[in-house]
Amino acid sequence: MKVTVFGIGYVGLVQAAVLAEAGHQVCCVDVNPKRVADLQAGIIPIYEPGLSALVQQGVAQGLLQFTTDGAAGVAFGELQFIAVGTPPDEDGSADLKYVLAVASTIATHMASPKVVINKSTVPVGTGDKVKAVLTTTLKARQQDIQFAVVSNPEFLKEGAAVADCQRPDRIILGTDNPWAEKLLRELYMPFNRNHDKIIVMDIRSAELTKYAANCMLATKISFMNEMSNLAELLGADIEQVRHGIGSDPRIGYHFIYPGCGYGGSCFPKDVQALIKTAEQTGYNTQLLKSVEAVNNQQKHKLFGFLQQHFAGDLQGKTVAIWGLSFKPNTDDMREASSRVLMESLWQAGATVQAFDPEAMEETQRIYGSRADLKLVGTKEAALQNADVLVICTEWKSFRSPDFSVLKQQLKQPVIVDGRNLFEPSRLKEQGFIYYAIGRGDSVMQF
């Protein structure tokens, strides 16, 4: 099938590459000429495991192409995916200007029937707005061309997006149009062979499903973080609690790891957007507002431990940080806990020595060159002459360090662990002062 994808960020590029791998012909359209030129040259703008090889394979086979020409993209595919960003507006609501701009482009240039598929995460009612733009623009052109608008939300995890796209848990189709449903069933047939993963519903329900899924996962994380803070005050161990409640199949082990807060491009933005959507209907989402408040508080937890340990005086201290991305297997630092920590440390007069396997360039891009930030090439180099080690991201390479080297290189044997990678009793035996999330002894008053 011939498919056009508008927007080649995380969602659009992964979806396009996986569709090309399945044998479909895919044309990707983006307004950024440099990004298009880089992709044409085989340079991938984001780090996502397995994506680079998949894109290069698609290009080599002639199944994947990139362009800045919107008219050419519209002419190419019967299926038109909208996968552009929906950044939060000043009030927290999702900004739909890019989505509606693509809808306008499609309507301006279409000369044959099209199925327009919203892949972007969009508020409930966006399908109606896209349909209105298409209808109005076609009417202005005095054209009567068949089209259908479908909501097809993505459920990809950064760091595992390729695998999630190749083997989806479910494929949500928000449509009541038999023609559009038939085409999309054909498109997704290679991903639907083992058992039927396609769930068809109305557009508004599909749009809400995406937000509800992300908000549910964010709620689980904030709940565990709230329990971890309570565990510290009560002298309990949240890791033992996690095992105890995770063994209940009604709860499960997914997304119940306490830590220093969630980040990324989805959870913070989507929680805010659903809160705003609810406000527009006059409904007060007390639970979601609490989820956001707990997460914002949790991002200050690591700095709180440091203030506690150094009696509020961090002036002149050097802090080693392992992990800058918001989660492992990505270079994405949007809403990362590391950013809250670093900015608090700088304000307190401390210097940061940091290492991340993938997010160093992104850190440099965000903060530029500054005297109180030193980005180093290895996790060991970050320790040299540092007063304390803080772990922000649970990269696998951080899980089994040489603790004798750690102790030798740090000025003080102090570890602040935002991801609970180590066993407190083992570190205490080796003479470390260990602050972790909800492990009983590391108490921080809020």
Side-chain angles (χ1 to χ4, degrees), residues 58 98 144 200 393 437 441:
Y98 303 117
D144 184 17
V200 181
T393 316
I437 307 294
D441 292 332

Side-chain angles (χ1 to χ4, degrees), residues 73-106:
V74 174
F76 183 86
E78 185 176 14
L79 299 175
Q80 303 271 314
F81 277 88
I82 301 178
V84 294
T86 52
D89 218 332
E90 290 182 5
D91 63 356
S93 61
D95 188 343
L96 295 177
K97 64 184 176 185
Y98 303 117
V99 170
L100 299 180
V102 172
S104 179
T105 297
I106 294 169

Side-chain angles (χ1 to χ4, degrees), residues 1 24 180-190 198:
M1 301 180 76
H24 299 300
E181 181 183 337
K182 180 177 181 294
L183 287 176
L184 283 164
R185 283 188 178 275
E186 184 180 345
L187 179 76
Y188 285 126
M189 190 179 296
I198 291 177

Side-chain angles (χ1 to χ4, degrees), residues 82 88 98 105 113 122 157 208 230 236 248 253 261 266 288 290 316 330 346 354 357 370 373 386 421:
I82 301 178
Y98 303 117
T105 297
V122 293
K157 300 185 295 292
L208 183 56
L230 187 57
D248 186 331
Y253 290 103
C266 295
L288 291 184
S290 296
T330 181
W346 293 329
R370 47 187 300 159
L373 172 62
L421 298 188

Side-chain angles (χ1 to χ4, degrees), residues 293-311:
V294 168
N295 190 59
N296 290 337
Q297 172 184 277
Q298 200 72 7
K299 289 185 178 182
H300 294 276
K301 180 106 179 166
L302 301 182
F303 182 70
F305 279 143
L306 291 172
Q307 281 190 309
Q308 175 181 314
H309 181 78
F310 291 105

Side-chain angles (χ1 to χ4, degrees), residues 117 203 250:
I117 304 129
I203 291 180
R250 296 170 300 176

